[in-house]
Amino acid sequence: MKQDVVIRTVCRLVVPFIQLFALYVIIHGASSAGGGFQGGVIFASAFILVGIAFGIADARKRISEKMTVLFSACGLGIYAGIGILCIIFGGNFLGYSFLPLPFPVPEIRGLAAEAVEIGIGITVMAVMTSIFYDMAVDEEAA
Amino acid sequence: MIWEFNFALFLFLVICAIAAISVRNLLSAVVILGVYSLIMAVLWAEMQAVDVSFTEAAVGAGITTILFVAALSRTTRGSKD
């Protein structure tokens, strides 16, 4: 199904800005409004927009079902890995200040919090995209 | 906090909530729920809860509406009862 040229052009123009805004929300989550969850949702909405405008098959070509599973596991691994790393170095789960990095403690805290937010963002993006893939009807197949 | 503005928003919120459960067309109900989420997001921002407002706008008005429409494409538009 070929969509209208206006829809396709606007989607192609808007998608990079949505993704950039999602990355901004994830990175600035610790210090201002936003965070990994919201940024991941916005990032997933970019893929969903591609799926609506160009068809599910095209969106599947950009990020396949296997990739969504891989990404969700990867994000969860980042989150749990940093938490367990803190336990290994003698702190609590996600007790960032015990990480042996060559920075002062507040900077270690900020860096580790950002890394955890990135993990959350990757997982939320992958899971939201895969939910959309499972629920949407492929018009070309039907 | 402007109480007249908040009062008008609350009024719209209640109207949207009642309309969403009383309307017969399922697609209209989904769209009205999206409007409900948007008004709720503005209300959260009015109550100085910017983070919650952000989540409501991204998840409630964005993703939930899309998933409802996607689920709707697998069923019929109107209710049978």
Side-chain angles (χ1 to χ4, degrees), chain A residues 23 30 42 48 68 78 82 87:
Chain A
L23 292 180
I42 295 171
I48 291 174
T68 60
I78 291 173
I82 287 174
I87 292 182

PDB file of all heavy atoms in Angstrom, chain A residues 23 30 42 48 68 78 82 87:
ATOM      1  N   LEU A  23      16.576  11.062  22.707  1.00  0.00           N
ATOM      2  CA  LEU A  23      17.913  10.950  23.311  1.00  0.00           C
ATOM      3  C   LEU A  23      18.152  12.083  24.306  1.00  0.00           C
ATOM      4  O   LEU A  23      18.714  11.873  25.385  1.00  0.00           O
ATOM      5  CB  LEU A  23      18.983  10.972  22.215  1.00  0.00           C
ATOM      6  CG  LEU A  23      18.999   9.741  21.315  1.00  0.00           C
ATOM      7  CD1 LEU A  23      20.093   9.879  20.274  1.00  0.00           C
ATOM      8  CD2 LEU A  23      19.222   8.489  22.115  1.00  0.00           C
ATOM      9  N   ALA A  30      18.187  12.667  34.581  1.00  0.00           N
ATOM     10  CA  ALA A  30      18.560  12.711  35.989  1.00  0.00           C
ATOM     11  C   ALA A  30      18.451  14.116  36.553  1.00  0.00           C
ATOM     12  O   ALA A  30      18.121  14.301  37.722  1.00  0.00           O
ATOM     13  CB  ALA A  30      19.986  12.186  36.159  1.00  0.00           C
ATOM     14  N   ILE A  42       9.232   7.784  23.726  1.00  0.00           N
ATOM     15  CA  ILE A  42       9.279   8.698  22.581  1.00  0.00           C
ATOM     16  C   ILE A  42      10.066   8.066  21.439  1.00  0.00           C
ATOM     17  O   ILE A  42       9.696   8.172  20.268  1.00  0.00           O
ATOM     18  CB  ILE A  42       9.883  10.045  23.016  1.00  0.00           C
ATOM     19  CG1 ILE A  42       8.976  10.722  24.026  1.00  0.00           C
ATOM     20  CG2 ILE A  42      10.068  10.961  21.836  1.00  0.00           C
ATOM     21  CD1 ILE A  42       9.567  11.926  24.666  1.00  0.00           C
ATOM     22  N   ILE A  48       7.047   3.534  15.620  1.00  0.00           N
ATOM     23  CA  ILE A  48       5.628   3.301  15.366  1.00  0.00           C
ATOM     24  C   ILE A  48       5.146   4.213  14.250  1.00  0.00           C
ATOM     25  O   ILE A  48       4.343   3.812  13.403  1.00  0.00           O
ATOM     26  CB  ILE A  48       4.822   3.497  16.671  1.00  0.00           C
ATOM     27  CG1 ILE A  48       5.150   2.372  17.648  1.00  0.00           C
ATOM     28  CG2 ILE A  48       3.339   3.527  16.390  1.00  0.00           C
ATOM     29  CD1 ILE A  48       4.530   2.540  18.992  1.00  0.00           C
ATOM     30  N   THR A  68      14.329  -6.515  18.610  1.00  0.00           N
ATOM     31  CA  THR A  68      13.647  -5.984  19.793  1.00  0.00           C
ATOM     32  C   THR A  68      13.913  -6.870  21.004  1.00  0.00           C
ATOM     33  O   THR A  68      14.151  -6.368  22.099  1.00  0.00           O
ATOM     34  CB  THR A  68      12.135  -5.862  19.554  1.00  0.00           C
ATOM     35  OG1 THR A  68      11.610  -7.149  19.263  1.00  0.00           O
ATOM     36  CG2 THR A  68      11.811  -4.918  18.436  1.00  0.00           C
ATOM     37  N   ILE A  78      22.218  -4.039  31.079  1.00  0.00           N
ATOM     38  CA  ILE A  78      22.929  -2.840  31.537  1.00  0.00           C
ATOM     39  C   ILE A  78      22.481  -2.459  32.947  1.00  0.00           C
ATOM     40  O   ILE A  78      23.291  -2.235  33.848  1.00  0.00           O
ATOM     41  CB  ILE A  78      22.692  -1.673  30.551  1.00  0.00           C
ATOM     42  CG1 ILE A  78      23.394  -1.939  29.229  1.00  0.00           C
ATOM     43  CG2 ILE A  78      23.200  -0.374  31.145  1.00  0.00           C
ATOM     44  CD1 ILE A  78      23.079  -0.919  28.167  1.00  0.00           C
ATOM     45  N   ILE A  82      25.005  -3.015  36.174  1.00  0.00           N
ATOM     46  CA  ILE A  82      25.541  -1.939  37.005  1.00  0.00           C
ATOM     47  C   ILE A  82      25.161  -2.148  38.462  1.00  0.00           C
ATOM     48  O   ILE A  82      25.979  -1.954  39.374  1.00  0.00           O
ATOM     49  CB  ILE A  82      25.050  -0.578  36.476  1.00  0.00           C
ATOM     50  CG1 ILE A  82      25.773  -0.256  35.182  1.00  0.00           C
ATOM     51  CG2 ILE A  82      25.324   0.521  37.486  1.00  0.00           C
ATOM     52  CD1 ILE A  82      25.289   0.963  34.492  1.00  0.00           C
ATOM     53  N   ILE A  87      27.211  -4.262  43.960  1.00  0.00           N
ATOM     54  CA  ILE A  87      27.247  -5.250  45.043  1.00  0.00           C
ATOM     55  C   ILE A  87      28.629  -5.896  45.115  1.00  0.00           C
ATOM     56  O   ILE A  87      29.193  -6.082  46.197  1.00  0.00           O
ATOM     57  CB  ILE A  87      26.164  -6.327  44.814  1.00  0.00           C
ATOM     58  CG1 ILE A  87      24.772  -5.727  44.981  1.00  0.00           C
ATOM     59  CG2 ILE A  87      26.337  -7.489  45.798  1.00  0.00           C
ATOM     60  CD1 ILE A  87      23.663  -6.718  44.813  1.00  0.00           C
TER      61      ILE A  87
END
